Amino acid sequence: MENKENGFEWKGIKMEDLRQIMDDPADNAVKSIFEKQDMGYLTGLLKNMAENDDVVSVELPEAMQKFADNIHKFKFSEKDIQCFVQTHKIWEKHGMKFIFILFFRALPYTYRAEKPANVLRMTKLLITHAERRIFETAQFVFDVMDENWWEPKKKGILTATKVRIMHAAMRHVILDNNKSDEQWNSVWGKPISQEDLIATNQVFSLEFFKGLEILGEGLKPKEQEAWFHTWKTIGKIMGVQDNLISKNVKEAWSLQHVIYDHLFSDESHSGVMLAKALVETMSTFHLPTKLTLILMRRMLADKQFPDSFEKMLGPSYKDEYPELFEVHTTSEDKEEHEERLRGHYHSELKDYYQKLNEEKKTIIKKGIENKENNPAVHKGLFEKIIDFLMNLVGISKKEQHLIDVHIELLHNVLHHKDTGNPLEELEEEMILDSMTAMGGIMIAILNGHFRKGKDTGFRIPATLQDNWQLKG
């Protein structure tokens, strides 16, 4: 890493130069629409793509059709496929933790990057449509982590194509000099630049690895490399230029640290708004604000940027929850403060455990309704016949539902394993166990989440429905 007078560099590439580079193939395809239609049409297209699962309409210009077709002809090597298969196995094992890490570390941490955060603020995607935008990010991950996601017509490659087209459309709308609202500031570089694309892509690997380490469950080096290889391939599909694709995890971290140093030093305004919207969205999981903040405080602990929690969440919540933002200089005071916060966490967790017990029947019911209304996870006729015959002879496939499994995990954290009596305090290991359980709870609730503005619910593939005990 070099920090020269003329800017931050990685392998001779200046980060400020990257901020001027967008994604020519996708941008030119979108430009072909604008040449035949007005800006209102393009804005409507962007809105339609955000609200529907379709990728490219047959009514669009040939250039756009050709662009999408070229993506779907992307050639994958034998090594690619091997890494994809291994990554899917890691996803089956750790996907619930990934979702927890996404919401409590990856997103709020990277909102520090003020320049790209301005895109989300200006398009109002994370202000007026916070829940939809955040959950669409989760849906994107589920789609590209699905089994055989790379095959033509599978949701994975279709979703990646759609997101790339949406990025190009957003650039065109943002850079429109004729629009009446706020104009893009050239000091920020270009919207959704190559620096933004590679940084975001690598977050899905690097911050996942960091989050697992915080939870006490790191991946083996070979697992990290397979996961990273999969995500960097997704990055290529989504427009990241070749000279930014790192050969391994170590090299990727060297680039990511340069980008963080380059972007995280700006004063946060848009990022603070996005972080607040994220906290508010966590109420979907029945999480109270204080518990959400305590979890984010732990997950945002960081040596490179130790002030992330204070910087991103302090402006919105410090006055209401001053005890969470106390800063102490002596080790004795720090230890005493952490002990008090463990008490706060214990109290909040008990209330959350009680709330989940009250809501679990509704959570399971919503999941069943979502599945019945979602063609992507419908049982086939043969599977329905097998279920009927098994029930007829008294053999039930019914298992404990995911929400029950993880509520039970919380019960075990909060109660003595021999007497069943409530514990007076929580040890560190118990706190980590409860944080891990949160991921399963969030997946169970997402399983019943009906996406606002969509005609379907949240899509969790049928294989995961079984493996993650979402069918009950």
Side-chain angles (χ1 to χ4, degrees):
M1 182 181 79
E2 287 185 70
N3 181 4
K4 297 184 176 181
E5 290 182 4
N6 60 355
F8 294 85
E9 293 189 12
W10 178 79
K11 296 175 67 172
I13 302 170
K14 295 181 177 67
M15 296 300 106
E16 276 301 311
D17 289 347
L18 284 183
R19 295 216 62 74
Q20 301 301 321
I21 305 172
M22 298 185 290
D23 177 7
D24 284 348
D27 294 334
N28 290 336
V30 166
K31 186 179 178 181
S32 71
I33 300 175
F34 185 63
E35 288 173 347
K36 295 186 177 182
Q37 303 286 348
D38 60 17
M39 183 57 69
Y41 179 85
L42 184 57
T43 304
L45 170 68
L46 187 57
K47 182 176 184 292
N48 182 264
M49 292 184 72
E51 293 178 350
N52 296 284
D53 290 327
D54 298 330
V55 180
V56 180
S57 169
V58 293
E59 300 174 0
L60 293 180
E62 183 181 352
M64 178 63 79
Q65 295 284 347
K66 187 175 180 179
F67 170 75
D69 288 343
N70 286 339
I71 292 178
H72 298 160
K73 293 175 183 176
F74 194 98
K75 300 296 183 183
F76 301 103
S77 69
E78 185 176 341
K79 179 184 177 180
D80 291 335
I81 303 300
Q82 290 173 350
C83 288
F84 298 165
V85 171
Q86 187 175 359
T87 295
H88 180 69
K89 292 178 181 177
I90 296 169
W91 171 249
E92 286 185 328
K93 182 178 180 181
H94 295 291
M96 291 182 237
K97 302 183 194 77
F98 182 101
I99 294 302
F100 175 80
I101 293 165
L102 176 69
F103 290 148
F104 288 93
R105 178 174 172 86
L107 290 179
Y109 186 68
T110 53
Y111 289 162
R112 281 191 71 134
E114 183 70 6
K115 290 183 177 72
N118 287 320
V119 171
L120 294 172
R121 176 183 57 78
M122 289 182 66
T123 55
K124 299 179 174 59
L125 285 177
L126 268 178
I127 305 300
T128 58
H129 303 294
E131 180 184 293
R132 188 177 79 190
R133 180 64 181 86
I134 290 165
F135 289 168
E136 284 303 293
T137 301
Q139 184 67 76
F140 160 72
V141 175
F142 271 92
D143 288 347
V144 297
M145 289 291 97
D146 192 14
E147 194 171 24
N148 301 329
W149 66 267
W150 60 91
E151 295 178 353
K153 307 303 180 184
K154 291 285 285 188
K155 281 294 183 184
I157 199 161
L158 291 175
T159 300
T161 304
K162 170 183 164 181
V163 172
R164 186 175 178 184
I165 293 170
M166 288 184 67
H167 283 167
M170 287 164 62
R171 291 188 197 100
H172 209 98
V173 171
I174 288 171
L175 294 175
D176 175 27
N177 292 324
N178 296 319
K179 68 177 187 291
S180 58
D181 51 358
E182 181 185 2
Q183 294 290 322
W184 180 259
N185 190 335
S186 62
V187 173
W188 302 333
K190 300 294 186 183
I192 319 180
S193 68
Q194 282 293 319
E195 185 182 33
D196 304 330
L197 289 174
I198 185 58
T200 301
N201 174 262
Q202 293 193 153
V203 159
F204 289 106
S205 291
L206 304 181
E207 293 304 332
F208 174 46
F209 303 156
K210 178 66 72 68
L212 282 178
E213 290 172 5
I214 294 172
L215 295 174
E217 299 188 44
L219 293 180
K220 296 176 182 178
K222 287 186 177 180
E223 291 177 318
Q224 288 193 10
E225 294 297 344
W227 181 280
F228 173 69
H229 184 94
T230 297
W231 274 97
K232 76 178 183 181
T233 305
I234 295 168
K236 292 179 183 179
I237 292 170
M238 298 184 68
V240 176
Q241 58 190 34
D242 289 343
N243 65 339
L244 297 177
I245 301 294
S246 296
K247 62 185 178 182
N248 53 39
V249 172
K250 182 179 180 181
E251 187 172 274
W253 267 121
S254 71
L255 171 57
Q256 199 76 350
H257 285 314
V258 174
I259 294 173
Y260 286 166
D261 284 336
H262 181 227
L263 296 180
F264 282 14
S265 59
D266 294 334
E267 190 172 345
S268 292
H269 299 289
S270 295
V272 168
M273 296 170 67
L274 302 182
K276 185 174 186 292
L278 175 62
V279 171
E280 292 171 348
T281 298
M282 291 303 99
S283 64
T284 304
F285 303 107
H286 307 293
L287 281 161
T289 299
K290 186 174 181 180
L291 181 56
T292 296
L293 291 172
I294 294 173
L295 289 166
M296 286 186 177
R297 182 181 181 275
R298 288 185 65 96
M299 293 303 294
L300 290 172
D302 190 78
K303 290 182 179 179
Q304 188 179 7
F305 296 97
D307 65 337
S308 292
F309 178 72
E310 164 72 32
K311 182 173 182 178
M312 302 313 301
L313 295 156
S316 301
Y317 296 104
K318 189 173 184 178
D319 290 344
E320 188 174 357
Y321 304 100
E323 67 276 13
L324 302 184
F325 296 91
E326 292 178 15
V327 177
H328 300 280
T329 55
T330 69
S331 57
E332 184 178 348
D333 288 342
K334 288 179 181 178
E335 186 175 334
E336 189 274 333
H337 183 222
E338 292 300 324
E339 187 174 345
R340 279 192 286 121
L341 290 184
R342 279 195 294 273
H344 286 296
Y345 180 74
H346 191 180
S347 176
E348 291 288 322
L349 191 65
K350 286 190 289 185
D351 291 344
Y352 186 52
Y353 167 72
Q354 182 62 39
K355 178 68 173 177
L356 289 173
N357 273 303
E358 295 170 0
E359 296 289 339
K360 69 177 182 179
K361 287 184 180 179
T362 301
I363 292 170
I364 294 171
K365 181 181 177 182
K366 285 184 177 180
I368 293 171
E369 292 173 349
N370 184 7
K371 183 178 67 175
E372 290 175 346
N373 292 319
N374 194 342
V377 294
H378 273 172
K379 286 186 178 181
L381 178 61
F382 180 75
E383 188 179 0
K384 290 179 179 179
I385 293 172
I386 292 297
D387 286 352
F388 172 76
L389 292 175
M390 290 181 71
N391 288 326
L392 196 65
V393 297
I395 302 174
S396 176
K397 288 176 63 179
K398 190 170 184 178
E399 299 174 346
Q400 191 178 25
H401 192 276
L402 182 68
I403 191 69
D404 290 311
V405 171
H406 289 272
I407 288 176
E408 185 176 334
L409 287 175
L410 290 186
H411 176 89
N412 294 339
V413 165
L414 293 166
H415 297 83
H416 194 283
K417 65 178 181 179
D418 294 325
T419 66
N421 294 329
L423 293 172
E424 293 184 4
E425 60 182 38
L426 297 181
E427 300 294 336
E428 179 64 18
E429 184 178 350
M430 298 173 183
I431 293 174
L432 293 177
D433 286 345
S434 69
M435 292 167 70
T436 298
M438 295 283 185
I441 291 163
M442 297 173 85
I443 294 295
I445 294 172
L446 276 177
N447 185 50
H449 180 72
F450 196 85
R451 297 178 291 167
K452 290 183 178 179
K454 300 281 185 175
D455 56 2
T456 63
F458 195 90
R459 295 187 308 273
I460 297 181
T463 52
L464 287 182
Q465 293 272 339
D466 285 327
N467 293 339
W468 288 358
Q469 297 175 266
L470 285 165
K471 294 182 178 179

